[in-house]
């Protein structure tokens, strides 16, 4: 039952993530002693291990879809928080945008904590409505002694001073212009 439920959830997530390009995608998950047999369709050319024919980006998105399907099944209303740490580094920009749609469609009641070093991905999460400026934090100047600093402050002048301290004079000027 577990393998069947995860297989169904994984397939639906992967199809939604990859759209028309993978509308006929299928997968087969089955137990093999202490291992998992995991085979996926490659454009109607048969089921193979993911690393046989799929790109690194597609393999990574499969891993993410498999994790989300498993986490959703196992947590079923008990844990509504999902932590994702830099999970899209080899996934292209268009599929990252599609992933935002997957979050919104399949997990409307889950809280995601997403960390990334990629500003483009952070911006996509905002423009696609997964997060907002108010629910995002940007860390900078991390050190062992002081830990991370964030971009959150309650004052325009603190924001401007912070940008100056970072050496970002154009950023400070932009904050002053917007604030004025």
């Amino acid at each position: 039952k577990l393998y069947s439920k995860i297989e169904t959830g994984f397939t639906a997530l992967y199809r939604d993530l990859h759209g028309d390009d993978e509308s006929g995608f299928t997968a087969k998950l089955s137990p093999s002693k202490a291992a998992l047999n995991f085979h996926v369709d490659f454009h109607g050319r048969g089921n193979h291990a993911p690393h046989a024919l799929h790109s690194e980006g597609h393999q990574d998105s499969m891993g993410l879809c498999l994790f989300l399907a498993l986490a959703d099944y196992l947590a079923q209303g008990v844990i509504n928080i999902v932590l994702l740490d830099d999970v899209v580094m080899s996934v292209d920009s268009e599929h990252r945008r599609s992933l935002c749609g997957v979050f919104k469609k399949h997990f409307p009641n889950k809280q995601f904590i997403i960390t990334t070093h990629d500003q483009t991905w952070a911006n996509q999460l905002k423009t696609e409505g997964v997060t907002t400026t108010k629910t995002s934090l940007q860390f900078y100047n991390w050190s062992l002694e002081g830990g991370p600093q964030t971009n959150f402050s309650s004052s325009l002048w603190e924001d401007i001073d912070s940008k100056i301290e970072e050496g970002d004079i154009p950023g400070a000027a932009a904050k002053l212009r917007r604030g004025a």
Side-chain angles (χ1 to χ4, degrees):
K1 179 181 174 185
L2 172 67
Y3 287 90
S4 176
K5 290 282 189 182
I6 302 307
E7 181 182 295
T8 300
F10 163 75
T11 301
L13 293 170
Y14 190 81
R15 283 180 179 174
D16 279 357
L17 177 59
H18 290 277
D20 292 338
D21 186 43
E22 295 280 7
S23 60
F25 178 83
T26 60
K28 183 66 181 157
L29 281 72
S30 60
S32 174
K33 296 183 183 178
L36 167 68
N37 286 326
F38 182 41
H39 291 90
V40 295
D41 175 62
F42 186 77
H43 301 281
R45 291 177 175 84
N47 288 339
H48 305 279
H51 65 277
L53 299 169
H54 285 88
S55 69
E56 181 181 352
H58 279 254
Q59 289 176 51
D60 283 356
S61 66
M62 281 183 207
L64 179 57
C65 290
L66 185 60
F67 170 80
L68 291 171
L70 185 60
D72 190 47
Y73 178 79
L74 293 176
Q76 290 185 359
V78 177
I79 300 172
N80 286 323
I81 296 174
V82 177
L83 176 62
L84 302 174
D85 181 26
D86 260 340
V87 295
V88 295
M89 293 310 294
S90 65
V91 177
D92 64 82
S93 181
E94 194 55 41
H95 287 109
R96 291 176 187 198
R97 186 175 314 286
S98 295
L99 181 57
C100 293
V102 167
F103 290 154
K104 289 168 55 177
K105 177 180 177 183
H106 291 275
F107 306 101
N109 298 317
K110 292 273 190 208
Q111 178 181 358
F112 285 89
I113 299 171
I114 302 171
T115 64
T116 185
H117 293 94
D118 188 321
Q119 192 61 48
T120 301
W121 171 232
N123 290 337
Q124 283 178 318
L125 289 165
K126 288 178 190 172
T127 59
E128 295 300 314
V130 174
T131 188
T132 66
T133 301
K134 288 183 178 184
T135 62
S136 300
L137 288 175
Q138 181 178 0
F139 296 113
Y140 63 93
N141 289 344
W142 185 90
S143 71
L144 288 175
E145 295 77 26
Q149 297 178 18
T150 68
N151 68 348
F152 178 78
S153 73
S154 58
S155 151
L156 172 65
W157 294 110
E158 288 176 13
D159 289 345
I160 293 168
D161 289 340
S162 174
K163 288 291 182 189
I164 292 170
E165 287 174 20
E166 292 173 36
D168 184 5
I169 304 306
K175 291 218 175 267
L176 178 60
R177 281 192 301 277
R178 287 190 181 138

